Amino acid sequence: MSSNLANATATLRCISCGATPASANQNFRCASCGDLLEFVLPEWSHDPPALKALWLHRKTLFKPLDQSGVWRFRELLPEIPEAHAITLREGNTPLYELPRCARIAGLDSLQAKHQGMNPTASFKDTGMTVAASSAHQQGFRWVACASTGNTSASMAAYAARGNMQSLVLIPEGKISWGKLSQSLDYGALTCQLRTDFDGCVRILNELVRQKPVYLLNSVNPYRIEGQKTAAIELMEQLEWEPPDHIIVPGGNLGNSSAIGKALIEMGDRKLIDRLPKLSIIQAQGANPFYRSVKEFGGAKLESMIADTQATAIRIGNPASWKKALRVLQATGGEVEQVTEIEIAEAKAEIGADGIGCEPASAVTLAGLKKLRKQGFVKSGESVVLILTGHLLKDPDFTIKFHRGDLFTGTPYENESAQIRQQQRAPMVLDADLGAVITALKAAETRNT
Ligand code: F0G
C-alpha cells in the first residue's frame, strides 16, 4: 500500500456555482456563493470486478486500515496520508433480515443495515474517521461540532484517538444521557447550550471564523465521503445486486446525501448497473425537508422550530438539504413524514425482531409502512432500511415507552392507547415461584 490512502486526488467543488477552490474555508462554505462544497472524484481506470475483489480481500488482512470498513474502500475516498489516518475499525456493519417487520409492512422480505453496530454505536463513525484524519493531517489541535448527540460522541472518540482536543456544543436537556456520557468519557469539552441544535450550529459557525478550530459537522465534505462507504459495503453484502429501495432517516441530511452520492458514483463507475430508489423519512415535528419537497417542489427550504422525541433528528434547518434533494431526484426516491406514535411503534417492532435501534432510526420502518400503503414500495420489492443508531443510545425512551409514560402529558396521550399492545412493562413481583408462574401463564394467554 502506498503511503497515501487513495491513489488519485479528489477535488472540491461548490454544489451551486461550480467554483473549484483548491482548499476549503474554516466553515466549508464556498467563498463565492456561500453554498456547500463536495468532493469530485477523479477519472479512474480501475476494473470493477478486480476492485470489488480487492475490497473484499482487504477484510482478511490484519492491518487496521484494511480491517476498517471505511478505509478498505479507499479508492472512492479523498486522499489522506496513511500516517494521519485515525481508525477504530469502523464500518463492516451487519445486514440483518427483519422477518416480523417484513410481515408488518406487507413485504416478502426486509433487510436492515445496522450502522448502530459501529464503535461508538452510530453511523457517524464512518464519516468521522475520514474527517478527523483530515483535521490531524492539517495539524489542528482542536476539533468541534454542534450535535444532537451522536456526532459529538463519535467526534470525541476519534479526537481522543488522534490526540486532539474536542469541543462539543449540544442543546441543553435535548440529548440522551447515553450520548452525553460518551462525550464526557472520551474527554471532550462538553457545553450544553440553552438553545436547540440549530442554535448550536449558529454559535459554532461564528466560533470557527474566530478560532483555529476544525469544524466536524457534516457540512465538512470529508464526513460525507466516509459515510458513503455504508452504501458501498451494502452493495458488497448484496453481491452487487442493488435493492429496489433504500430508506434512511433525515435530520441534517448529511447521511442521505452521502448514501446517494455513493450510489451515483457506483453507477457512474459501473460497480452497479442500476440505482436503488433512496427515500428519506423525517419526523413530523421536524419536517422542513418534507415540506420543502411537498410544498415548494424543492425550490426553497423554510426553517422551523423542530420538536420530536427522536432527539437525534430534532433539526429545523438542515444544512445539506440541497445535496439531499439532488440524490432524491437522481434516484427517484420519495420523502415522507411520520408521527411520534408511528416512530414509537416502529421502534418497538424493530426491537421485537431482536435487533433494536434508537428512535430516529425507527422512522425508516414507520415511513416504509406509509410508502407501502401508497404503493410506492411493492410487496415483492427488495428494501433495505438504514438503522443509524444503537438501541442503547436512548434507553430512557425505550423504558418510558414500555412503562406507558412516553406520551404522558403530551398531545399524543390519547392516541397512544393504540400502541399499548407493543408495551412490555417490567413487573415487580415477590420472590415467590408461584408469582413468576402466574406471570408466565398470563404472558402465554396474551401471546396465543
Ligand atoms: N439517525 C441518528 C441516530 C442520528 O444521530 C442522526 C443525526 C440522523 C439519523 C440523521 O442524519 O443528520 O445526516 O440526516 N444526528 C446528528 C448528530 C445531527 O449531531 O448526531 P442526518
Side-chain angles (χ1 to χ4, degrees), residues 319-398:
S320 295
W321 72 275
K322 285 187 194 163
K323 288 185 178 179
L325 182 69
R326 205 174 48 181
V327 302
L328 199 71
Q329 290 167 343
T331 67
E334 254 295 0
V335 56
E336 245 317 331
Q337 61 174 357
V338 291
T339 66
E340 295 295 290
I341 301 279
E342 288 165 340
I343 295 170
E345 183 176 41
K347 191 179 111 56
E349 287 163 350
I350 294 167
D353 246 327
I355 306 292
C357 62
E358 68 163 284
S361 309
V363 302
T364 53
L365 177 63
L368 168 64
K369 289 194 255 178
K370 289 198 157 161
L371 297 177
R372 268 291 291 130
K373 281 206 185 100
Q374 294 158 13
F376 181 74
V377 175
K378 301 184 179 52
S379 63
E381 287 188 312
S382 50
V383 182
V384 177
L385 308 180
I386 306 294
L387 301 181
T388 45
H390 197 279
L391 170 68
L392 293 176
K393 280 283 192 175
D394 194 351
D396 264 10
F397 181 109
T398 310

Side-chain angles (χ1 to χ4, degrees), residues 116 121-124 145-154 169-171 175 179 197 201 217-218 223-224 227 248-258 280-282 310-315 318-320 324 357-363 386-390 393:
S122 87
F123 72 100
K124 304 288 183 180
C145 71
S147 180
T148 55
N150 279 327
T151 300
S152 45
S154 181
L169 302 185
I170 45 174
I175 78 163
K179 298 173 189 179
F197 169 79
V201 170
N217 276 81
S218 57
R223 287 267 316 275
I224 302 294
Q227 281 174 212
V248 290
N252 215 18
L253 299 171
N255 199 34
S256 32
S257 304
I280 302 172
I281 317 294
Q282 294 207 292
T311 52
I313 50 173
R314 196 170 182 274
I315 295 172
S320 295
C357 62
E358 68 163 284
S361 309
V363 302
I386 306 294
L387 301 181
T388 45
H390 197 279
K393 280 283 192 175

Side-chain angles (χ1 to χ4, degrees), residues 206-221:
E206 287 302 313
L207 180 79
V208 296
R209 271 192 219 123
Q210 296 186 23
K211 295 282 172 196
V213 167
Y214 187 77
L215 180 68
L216 277 176
N217 276 81
S218 57
V219 293
N220 181 325

Side-chain angles (χ1 to χ4, degrees), residues 283-306:
Q284 196 168 303
N287 65 352
F289 185 61
Y290 172 83
R291 287 185 14 239
S292 164
V293 174
K294 298 291 177 186
E295 290 172 27
F296 309 118
K300 62 171 180 172
L301 180 130
E302 280 183 356
S303 62
M304 65 185 292
I305 306 289

